Amino acid sequence: MGKDCIFCKIAAGDIPATKLHEDEEMVAFRDVAPKAPTHIIIIPRAHIPTINDLKPEHAPLIGRMLLLAKQLAARAGVAEKGYRMVFNCNAAAGQSVWHIHLHLLGGRDLGWPPG
Ligand code: DGP
């Protein structure tokens, strides 16, 4: 567990979150400050600070995170209209929690390019 990592604490159940999925490898929960009607965060239980820290052995994990996001998009009812998956990497991209996380956003028209 990352020392003082808020997402490790959510995964462990030490701080509350509205969880939508939990398994031995990943947890999905609602973003506390949603940027769209559907805004779900998917995290691995493993503490990996940024996408820059990914190693080849993480490829199956990242694949399963994307597949979980796809399932959650369908469950949220945004799959047909459209949704976005985002990994922010480091401060210039807007990363503010140093534990990799996949944003799933939908339920409104999303501008492109992002700000
Ligand atoms: P990023 O800016 O890409 O690092 O995204 C971090 C997201 O995590 C941001 O949209 C807000 C969300 N977040 C931060 N702290 C908490 C928390 O304690 N609970 C929940 N549910 N979401 C959080």
Side-chain angles (χ1 to χ4, degrees):
M1 187 195 272
K3 189 175 174 294
D4 297 328
C5 171
I6 197 158
F7 284 177
C8 283
K9 288 178 182 169
I10 287 175
D14 292 341
I15 62 171
T18 305
K19 290 181 179 170
L20 303 175
H21 175 90
E22 239 182 318
D23 61 38
E24 60 287 341
E25 185 175 48
M26 296 178 280
V27 180
F29 53 90
R30 292 203 188 280
D31 194 291
V32 76
K35 308 299 185 295
T38 295
H39 189 172
I40 298 168
I41 301 288
I42 295 117
I43 61 168
R45 289 188 185 276
H47 182 75
I48 303 167
T50 82
I51 290 293
N52 286 338
D53 299 305
L54 288 179
K55 297 181 170 63
E57 58 263 33
H58 293 127
L61 166 68
I62 298 300
R64 285 191 286 270
M65 288 173 70
L66 293 172
L67 287 169
L68 175 60
K70 183 199 88 163
Q71 289 170 6
L72 291 169
R75 209 196 296 170
V78 300
E80 294 309 316
K81 189 127 190 271
Y83 58 92
R84 187 170 293 165
M85 297 183 193
V86 176
F87 282 104
N88 292 325
C89 183
N90 277 339
Q95 185 174 3
S96 61
V97 178
W98 307 99
H99 179 131
I100 62 165
H101 48 282
L102 176 59
H103 293 259
L104 168 63
L105 298 141
R108 66 170 172 83
D109 291 341
L110 299 165
W112 190 263

